[in-house]
Amino acid sequence: MGFMNASASFTRFQITEPVPSELWAQIPDKLKQFAFQEIEETAEERGWGWVCYDDMLDSFWRTAPPEKGEFITFSLRLDTRRVSAAVMKKYLTLAIREEEKRIKEQGKKYIARERKKELKEQVQLKLRARTLPVPAEFNAVWNIQTGIVYFASTQSKVLDLFAEHFSTTFGLDLEPLTPYALAVRLKGEDIMHALDNLEPSRFA
Amino acid sequence: MSDTPYLGQTTDVVLGQEFLTWLWFRSETRNGQFTTKDGDTYFMYVEQRVSVQGGEGETLETATVSGNLSELREARLGLSMGKKVNRALIRIERDPEAWHVTLKAEDFALGSLKTPKVEKADSEDDDPDAAFLEKMYLIEKCLAYLDNAYGEFLSARLSSTWTEEVKELRQWLENAG
């Protein structure tokens, strides 16, 4: 999902507090500190972090620096392992049958609930390690003059992850510019009282 | 954001839906013309695709109507039955340029924003960020036009003349129906 595409879908955020002036120089280092780390050789379900805006395979900003004009640019890369439900079902059934055979020899009839849960976790882990993570990339553009951050997604889970990782990285909180927040930004805090007491209009 | 309600959520829905509904009315009754504080004139239309929503909880009902150059009659009918616009495709024109964007009422999520075309760099000597900077300029321009219209809505909505505006809006609905 990117801003250079023919059409872009995104969410607008504003930074809710003043940016400490010493932060600007630290941004490249902070991005590297919280950069994406490959999960291909692990069994992790999800991995995320920052990558270079111009190349999602670059977590060291060798391709281009994050600064472009009055903007700081970077992308959130989110890799996810998705094991197909049908594959999971097949291997769980196989594991359970094997376990049944094994406990029969010990004279037992049923697999304990705890043991079943354990088997499921083992199968999940084994399959995950064999599944390639699917990469996804979401552009972020931070206008340093206005304190507005554009993030190229409208999916609430990805937005939550982005805002959280942004806050961890820079120590700054993001607020989505919903109708209420945008109204306060455009018209000032004086209108908050009027907005809080707003009664819906009847157009019909 | 998340599924849990937050402070201002209901206000978000009220403001967002009333803005889009007003924008449709306003764009049709005044030739779509808007002017920024700096005197920059542009045109803004709600067109081709509109969703209207009414009721709540289990009675929540949404109707999406689309069509080229259609009058979106079904959506208007929905409005006259008390529904409000909850998503609309907006076209912004400032000669010779045009933008398209879908705006969602409850959170102002921006969907499929299309800017005027950005020229690719001609030679390697050009600033490698030139295309990006132009694209961002065009995106921010579109947002400034949207914000300007929203600001105009807010001024009307929070002033004593709002009841007059609502009367006019009802009249528009009756005439179109």
Side-chain angles (χ1 to χ4, degrees), chain A residues 159-189:
Chain A
L159 296 181
D160 286 346
L161 178 67
F162 171 69
E164 206 186 304
H165 202 54
F166 188 96
S167 162
T168 311
T169 308
F170 303 113
L172 297 168
D173 285 328
L174 290 178
E175 176 185 31
L177 279 178
T178 63
Y180 185 97
L182 183 61
V184 174
R185 182 176 175 92
L186 294 174
K187 298 284 179 186
E189 288 187 4

Side-chain angles (χ1 to χ4, degrees), chain A residues 36 59 74 114 151 154 160 195 203:
Chain A
F36 175 79
S59 342
F74 44 93
E114 272 305 302
F151 180 64
T154 55
D160 286 346
L195 293 181
F203 295 141

Side-chain angles (χ1 to χ4, degrees), chain B residues 119-127 130-131:
Chain B
E119 295 298 327
K120 290 254 153 57
D122 286 338
S123 71
E124 294 205 346
D125 302 339
D126 287 355
D127 179 356

